[in-house]
Amino acid sequence: MFDKILIANRGEIACRVAATCRRLGIKTVAVYSDADAQAKHVAVCDEAVHIGGAAARDSYLRIDAVIDAARRTGAQAIHPGYGFLSENEAFAAACASAGLVFIGPPVEAIRAMGSKSAAKSLMEHANVPLVPGYHGAEQAPEFLQAQADEIGYPVLLKASAGGGGKGMRVVESAADFKAALASCQREAQSSFGDDRVLLEKYLTRPRHIEIQVFADTHGNCLYLFERDCSVQRRHQKVLEEAPAPGMTEQRRRAMGEAAVAAAQAVGYVGAGTVEFIANQDGSFYFMEMNTRLQVEHPVTEMITGLDLVEWQLRVAAGAPLPLRQEELRLHGHALEARVYAENPDNNFLPSTGTLKYLRTPAAVAFERGAQGSDPAPVRIDAGVREGDTISPFYDPMIAKLIVWGRDRAEALARMRQALAEYRVAGVATNIAFLDRLVASEPFATADLDTGLIERHHDTLFPAAEPVPAAALALATAALLEREQIRQRKQYLDSTDPHSPWHQHNGWRLNGHYERTLQFDQDDTRHDVMLAYLGDHSTLAVAGHTLPFAYRHEQGALQLTLGDTRTQGHVHIDGATYHVFYEGRHWTLQWHDPLAQQAGHEGGEGKLTAPMPGKVIAVLAEKGGKVTKGMPLIVMEAMKMEHTISAPADGEIDEVLYGVGEQVQEGAQLLSLKAAE
């Protein structure tokens, strides 16, 4: 076994690998960029080496810097995690040339599976089922369109060297093909440095089922069952689970054996994932093989009791697989939710900023289980802490939330409870969306396919709800508690500690006192009338006057409002009150009558950047006529494209940014004169 390894990654996967290494007594070396100098993965490793600037291309994608860091620290091997250089054959080859062990498959296997087109040809020879499509080298737009016409619409355009949902477009008709191809190629070139694409017949209501495979250098290869990753948005996974609902033993064996055949066809070694697209009728087709550990590997660990990172390390050190196929056992059901800093209501745009407040459900970090034993019911794999920054340079993941249950129903209940206990302030998150998704009828009943989110859009993206009275009451209680703390300090500092004027219970000479508190949510103002009536208080909110009391107990605000008792949490950030109640997060601004209110200018006729990023295409020019919905500017952030469209008919008055320029969130991109 190795004495020291370098982890060529960041975030939660770097922390995850470090955890197993620490348990095995292996020293770890972290690498970090300018943006990650204080990151969690740097803190949890034994050593850390700075390798460059904030952008990935200036740091985590620099093969020379990573190799040099490994040499200087005496690391014997490099674990690439996922993303960045994990599937880069040049990096694997550079490790070998430097005398370092690459904890992953051989260079030849990465090369074979790195091109989706070449991989399809190999799978065809290995008798692995394939979706009808085109995977050849000819890339002329006219030729590709002719292939799409022959396959029949809808077709799926995919970056040949891609992964992670980047460089993928569904084309519904021949008229849409040219624009979709250009966009797909741009994103593929930006993400992978390769603009080649392949075409596949787009199946309706398919499921995405993947098989975890493992192979060693002794000729052994097996599969560790399956994961269902059907619930996706923009071709990126949102929820994963294992085992796949409705999977029969016969189908599991067929898919597992096909996955093993795929791995053996390329002489695979280590952990890999063979992804299949599965029809509702039980048929399945090879999509691609990811030659690395997957983001969703924890659900496999939860149902098998195995540590897949430990297996990677042992296989890379030359040891045989610890178990044989017939020795593997399934136990229970596991779900994983990816908690992201993003805004689901704004097309899932990433949200950047500081994690000013972060509270998680009671959970463990990764711990090794045993086959057949119950794992911890809740596990969190995270690469950030409270106070850390979600930057525009990397994936905006906050954590992976993984739960286990004896069956799927128990796992679902635990997931909903865990999501309700997650509290984040400082960035927008997808937590409320995840809760709606898990609670939705199609997911709860396992009516799964890759179009679930789009098909149930109205249910998953409901109209904004009014702030409940209890949330306003919790904000009021938090405000009063803060005032009481200040008044208590004045009381203790007073020369007359017996003065009733220093009491903080609303005492007044005439026994009755009222005050109005105002909280703003977006453009809506909520008035709350608080009355002190000597021996008790009332709160008038939402047209009802109710007895009101509160106290702090076990870390939560215990609230009595009328004849109802409930609880919640409030985080105060200046005049902003973050109320966490019944699994929801309400952001309220206290209208402080003593504070000067800062005005803001209107933005009529202005189009602004929804997030920091780079302009990669300008589709409008000064004086040009536009219609509502027409694309005007294409931005790139976190290697995903986002199109800014015209909000109404009009004429372009001025274009303020050009291709290649960086813009900040909220920056005005162009101005638009409304049509007369």
Side-chain angles (χ1 to χ4, degrees):
M1 182 52 74
F2 308 110
D3 296 319
K4 181 188 287 189
I5 73 164
L6 181 141
I7 305 170
N9 218 294
R10 65 177 302 279
E12 60 86 16
I13 186 57
C15 296
R16 163 71 190 88
V17 173
T20 289
C21 289
R22 185 169 296 278
R23 181 174 61 79
L24 297 176
I26 300 171
K27 296 294 185 182
T28 53
V29 180
V31 292
Y32 65 92
S33 69
D34 288 347
D36 279 341
Q38 305 301 320
K40 181 180 177 181
H41 77 277
V42 174
V44 301
C45 288
D46 298 293
E47 300 176 60
V49 179
H50 176 254
I51 56 170
R57 65 179 176 275
D58 299 326
S59 50
Y60 298 106
L61 292 176
R62 287 185 56 202
I63 294 175
D64 59 335
V66 174
I67 296 292
D68 181 63
R71 281 173 165 164
R72 286 194 285 127
T73 56
Q76 301 156 303
I78 295 181
H79 194 301
Y82 48 71
F84 294 138
L85 296 170
S86 62
E87 295 179 280
N88 187 306
E89 62 179 278
F91 179 55
C95 289
S97 297
L100 299 163
V101 175
F102 177 74
I103 302 174
V107 174
E108 295 76 15
I110 298 175
R111 182 181 302 120
M113 289 300 184
S115 167
K116 290 185 174 66
S117 300
K120 300 280 184 179
S121 298
L122 282 169
M123 295 305 102
E124 188 172 20
H125 290 300
N127 296 318
V128 178
L130 296 176
V131 178
Y134 171 73
H135 319 111
E138 176 60 54
Q139 294 287 299
E142 297 77 12
F143 177 82
L144 291 174
Q145 174 133 25
Q147 296 300 309
D149 293 343
E150 184 176 338
I151 294 167
Y153 296 93
V155 297
L156 180 64
L157 274 169
K158 299 173 70 174
S160 184
K166 297 179 177 67
M168 295 178 67
R169 300 290 186 275
V170 177
V171 187
E172 299 286 352
S173 67
D176 300 329
F177 187 86
K178 184 177 179 181
L181 174 63
S183 179
C184 181
Q185 289 174 325
R186 281 197 306 268
E187 194 166 283
Q189 181 66 41
S190 172
S191 297
F192 314 111
D194 186 342
D195 67 356
R196 291 174 298 168
V197 301
L198 57 84
L199 299 171
E200 289 179 350
K201 176 67 178 175
Y202 186 71
L203 305 178
T204 57
R205 295 208 61 194
R207 288 174 66 177
H208 182 135
I209 297 177
E210 59 189 34
I211 306 294
Q212 176 72 64
V213 295
F214 239 105
D216 61 24
T217 57
H218 302 271
N220 303 307
C221 187
L222 51 73
Y223 62 92
L224 289 89
F225 312 114
E226 78 283 350
R227 299 184 286 257
D228 193 308
C229 306
S230 299
V231 182
Q232 304 177 7
R233 49 89 171 149
R234 300 199 312 194
H235 306 295
Q236 290 186 307
K237 300 163 187 173
V238 178
L239 292 170
E240 300 100 358
E241 59 184 304
M247 178 67 75
T248 65
E249 283 300 327
Q250 181 181 8
R251 189 184 188 193
R252 175 176 292 127
R253 187 180 305 109
M255 295 185 75
E257 290 174 353
V260 167
Q264 291 175 327
V266 294
Y268 201 79
V269 174
T273 302
V274 182
E275 301 194 351
F276 294 98
I277 197 79
N279 263 334
Q280 299 290 332
D281 63 6
S283 59
F284 59 91
Y285 306 98
F286 174 86
M287 281 200 306
E288 62 183 341
M289 183 176 187
N290 291 307
T291 54
R292 54 172 167 78
L293 200 64
Q294 292 280 90
V295 177
E296 57 273 17
H297 77 274
V299 293
T300 296
E301 293 180 326
M302 295 284 265
I303 64 167
T304 61
L306 303 174
D307 181 341
L308 299 191
V309 173
E310 179 182 348
W311 276 38
Q312 284 187 296
L313 296 171
R314 295 194 181 283
V315 166
L321 293 175
L323 297 172
R324 299 187 301 272
Q325 188 71 59
E326 60 272 17
E327 295 177 306
L328 296 171
R329 298 287 182 272
L330 276 171
H331 181 55
H333 199 96
L335 293 168
E336 176 180 296
R338 303 187 187 194
V339 179
Y340 274 103
E342 63 183 11
N343 187 350
D345 295 325
N346 191 15
N347 200 28
F348 295 97
L349 284 181
S351 176
T352 59
T354 300
L355 292 168
K356 296 182 177 180
Y357 177 76
L358 176 63
R359 298 294 182 272
T360 66
V364 299
F366 172 73
E367 62 178 25
R368 185 185 181 190
Q371 281 210 102
S373 64
D374 292 359
V378 181
R379 164 181 163 183
I380 294 175
D381 286 10
V384 294
R385 306 148 298 187
E386 183 175 283
D388 286 350
T389 298
I390 303 296
S391 78
F393 300 108
Y394 315 115
D395 185 87
M397 181 184 286
I398 296 173
K400 299 185 310 196
L401 174 62
I402 310 106
V403 300
W404 180 90
R406 285 165 292 188
D407 53 30
R408 190 172 189 266
E410 186 173 73
L412 282 171
R414 283 179 171 167
M415 177 59 79
R416 291 211 67 192
Q417 179 63 33
L419 287 169
E421 294 174 4
Y422 234 112
R423 306 193 297 277
V424 182
V427 295
T429 76
N430 64 341
I431 293 172
F433 169 76
L434 289 171
D435 180 64
R436 293 192 297 269
L437 186 55
V438 172
S440 68
E441 182 180 358
F443 189 80
T445 59
D447 183 18
L448 307 175
D449 66 84
T450 56
L452 185 151
I453 291 176
E454 288 78 10
R455 195 171 60 257
H456 296 275
H457 183 275
D458 291 347
T459 299
L460 298 175
F461 297 89
E465 300 176 17
V467 182
L472 292 168
L474 284 166
T476 300
L479 187 151
L480 295 177
E481 188 173 53
R482 183 167 71 165
E483 290 181 343
Q484 288 169 358
I485 292 172
R486 292 173 178 171
Q487 291 166 353
R488 187 177 296 116
K489 184 177 185 304
Q490 293 175 357
Y491 171 80
L492 294 174
D493 293 343
S494 170
T495 57
D496 182 9
H498 302 291
S499 170
W501 301 107
H502 292 304
Q503 294 185 28
H504 45 82
N505 57 3
W507 181 90
R508 288 296 184 273
L509 184 63
N510 296 321
H512 183 83
Y513 170 63
E514 290 184 350
R515 63 185 292 199
T516 299
L517 302 173
Q518 295 179 321
F519 295 98
D520 295 338
Q521 186 208 21
D522 296 328
D523 296 326
T524 303
R525 175 155 295 176
H526 301 273
D527 291 335
V528 178
M529 177 69 76
L530 175 66
Y532 298 100
L533 303 174
D535 59 346
H536 72 282
S537 300
T538 64
L539 206 65
V541 58
H544 300 281
T545 300
L546 302 167
F548 167 69
Y550 66 91
R551 70 181 187 279
H552 238 118
E553 188 175 305
Q554 297 180 340
L557 272 173
Q558 305 291 330
L559 181 72
T560 299
L561 193 61
D563 57 3
T564 300
R565 291 188 176 183
T566 188
Q567 67 175 16
H569 299 80
V570 181
H571 171 68
I572 304 175
D573 180 16
T576 303
Y577 285 66
H578 296 276
V579 180
F580 300 91
Y581 172 65
E582 292 189 340
R584 294 293 310 277
H585 175 195
W586 307 92
T587 302
L588 305 173
Q589 298 291 329
W590 175 41
H591 183 75
D592 186 350
L594 300 180
Q596 183 177 1
Q597 299 300 305
H600 62 276
E601 297 180 0
E604 186 175 356
K606 300 178 180 179
L607 285 171
T608 58
M611 72 289 175
K614 182 174 72 173
V615 175
I616 61 172
V618 177
L619 310 175
E621 59 183 19
K622 184 175 181 178
K625 303 292 185 183
V626 300
T627 57
K628 182 178 181 180
M630 179 181 292
L632 303 178
I633 287 182
V634 181
M635 290 182 59
E636 179 190 68
M638 299 179 185
K639 295 191 176 180
M640 295 294 287
E641 289 190 6
H642 307 278
T643 300
I644 288 83
S645 302
D649 295 349
E651 178 182 320
I652 301 298
D653 187 44
E654 190 174 7
V655 178
L656 301 174
Y657 286 90
V659 173
E661 292 189 82
Q662 294 284 340
V663 298
Q664 296 300 313
E665 181 176 359
Q668 183 182 353
L669 301 173
L670 50 78
S671 57
L672 180 68
K673 290 192 295 187
E676 297 179 356

